[in-house]
Amino acid sequence: MDILELKQGVSACFIKNSRFKSRLFTVRFLLPCDKQTVTENAMAAHLISERCEKYPEPEKLRRELKKLCGADIGVSFEKSGDNQLITFSLRALSDRYGINGEPCFTDALDILYNLIFLQGASEEFGISDVERTRRAWSDKLDGDLNDKRIYAKSKAENIMYGDEGYGIPRLGYRESMEKADGKTLYNAYRRLLENAMIRLTFVGEENPEEIFKKWGRAFPDTPRAEFKMSPVKEKLSEPKRVTERMDVTQGKLVMGFTTSKIGGDRETAPRVVFTDLFGGG
């Protein structure tokens, strides 16, 4: 595994692997998890994963990807420490296995490049794009609410850490979703490009040096976020009890433990085993 620093706050990772016929390329955006921006950042990422100037409609984008032997582009939303982690993933057949020599991975990578960098210069997303994204986001929020395991875990983190980064829901808040508009989502998109810490990753057997250089040049030369981790809280002198009642027929038990700051593998590994034993893996 080789890691290359492309510019301040933008790095790339090459994982050489010849076992697979497909290739994986990911673009990770890391920003402080802030209550005021978490929803808009994630919604903006979802929006641009479905359209750009060249492919203004999601259906047209999906047709283009299907032509490339079923190439797939997706976006996921997580938390890492007190940070928001947004990941765009491209999985596509290697160029050497394309039907009639079709460069499936190269063409799919160009599509991903268009989605991330070529969204137009209007500085505002259209009403139809915003409404489509709002509907999709409402479904995602409902999905997390209806998944008892996800909801219980998210609620426990919020009770333990409040408005600290780790206590903020990974998808944000419904009220922020309802207030989002074309301007605020476009500003969030620019925030991802200009302020987030970036990590590019390529898994395959070809040397991706030229790919990394092209993508590295495309990101603006701006000050970028750093990985954040809040200080460990002191133990509460008195127990804190929170009760929220819901009409459900099944329950999930979540146990959260705050530990000292984790260092290298020697300190981390035993705690990973511990959480696995309790079903948290």
Side-chain angles (χ1 to χ4, degrees), residues 105-175:
F105 175 75
T106 298
D107 288 351
L109 189 61
D110 285 342
I111 292 176
L112 180 60
Y113 186 91
N114 275 263
L115 293 176
I116 292 179
F117 296 112
L118 304 180
Q119 285 293 330
S122 64
E123 298 189 355
E124 185 171 355
F125 290 119
I127 295 176
S128 60
D129 293 326
V130 174
E131 288 301 320
R132 183 177 64 247
T133 302
R134 188 177 285 119
R135 289 193 298 270
W137 214 249
S138 180
D139 290 342
K140 286 181 179 293
L141 291 172
D142 288 342
D144 273 12
L145 176 63
N146 294 326
D147 188 313
K148 298 178 186 66
R149 189 173 187 272
I150 292 177
Y151 179 74
K153 180 175 180 290
S154 177
K155 198 69 180 180
E157 291 170 352
N158 182 250
I159 291 171
M160 293 177 70
Y161 301 103
D163 289 339
E164 290 181 22
Y166 198 71
I168 296 173
R170 67 187 183 94
L171 299 180
Y173 304 91
R174 189 171 295 275
E175 54 268 29

Side-chain angles (χ1 to χ4, degrees), residues 174-190:
R174 189 171 295 275
E175 54 268 29
S176 299
M177 174 202 75
E178 293 170 348
K179 293 178 183 178
D181 57 27
K183 184 67 175 178
T184 59
L185 291 184
Y186 190 86
N187 289 341
Y189 158 63
R190 295 305 307 179

Side-chain angles (χ1 to χ4, degrees), residues 10-216:
V10 182
S11 61
C13 175
F14 173 34
I15 302 175
K16 188 175 180 62
N17 194 316
S18 58
R19 294 174 56 195
F20 307 108
K21 291 183 172 63
S22 61
R23 299 292 177 260
L24 173 66
F25 186 83
T26 64
V27 187
R28 289 186 169 89
F29 296 85
L30 191 80
L31 281 166
C33 202
D34 187 293
K35 191 174 183 179
Q36 304 303 317
T37 59
V38 61
T39 313
E40 293 170 357
N41 290 345
M43 288 179 68
H46 176 85
L47 191 157
I48 68 172
S49 73
E50 294 192 329
R51 55 86 66 209
C52 62
E53 276 191 312
K54 190 173 182 180
Y55 307 105
E57 296 295 332
E59 186 56 39
K60 183 176 181 181
L61 173 63
R62 285 191 286 268
R63 285 200 302 268
E64 289 300 314
L65 290 172
K66 285 182 179 178
K67 292 177 183 177
L68 301 175
C69 300
D72 178 66
I73 292 176
V75 59
S76 61
F77 311 93
E78 303 167 82
K79 290 183 298 183
S80 179
D82 292 316
N83 306 275
Q84 181 178 25
L85 180 61
I86 297 174
T87 303
F88 287 81
S89 300
L90 163 65
R91 292 176 177 83
L93 192 67
S94 170
D95 290 352
R96 64 187 292 187
Y97 297 110
I99 299 174
N100 298 322
E102 185 175 26
C104 296
F105 175 75
T106 298
D107 288 351
L109 189 61
D110 285 342
I111 292 176
L112 180 60
Y113 186 91
N114 275 263
L115 293 176
I116 292 179
F117 296 112
L118 304 180
Q119 285 293 330
S122 64
E123 298 189 355
E124 185 171 355
F125 290 119
I127 295 176
S128 60
D129 293 326
V130 174
E131 288 301 320
R132 183 177 64 247
T133 302
R134 188 177 285 119
R135 289 193 298 270
W137 214 249
S138 180
D139 290 342
K140 286 181 179 293
L141 291 172
D142 288 342
D144 273 12
L145 176 63
N146 294 326
D147 188 313
K148 298 178 186 66
R149 189 173 187 272
I150 292 177
Y151 179 74
K153 180 175 180 290
S154 177
K155 198 69 180 180
E157 291 170 352
N158 182 250
I159 291 171
M160 293 177 70
Y161 301 103
D163 289 339
E164 290 181 22
Y166 198 71
I168 296 173
R170 67 187 183 94
L171 299 180
Y173 304 91
R174 189 171 295 275
E175 54 268 29
S176 299
M177 174 202 75
E178 293 170 348
K179 293 178 183 178
D181 57 27
K183 184 67 175 178
T184 59
L185 291 184
Y186 190 86
N187 289 341
Y189 158 63
R190 295 305 307 179
R191 186 159 53 240
L192 291 176
L193 291 185
E194 297 170 6
N195 302 127
M197 181 186 292
I198 309 293
R199 166 62 64 86
L200 309 174
T201 303
F202 174 78
V203 181
E205 58 182 333
E206 303 88 356
N207 189 323
E209 183 177 355
E210 293 304 316
I211 295 174
F212 287 159
K213 286 181 179 179
K214 175 183 176 180
W215 281 70

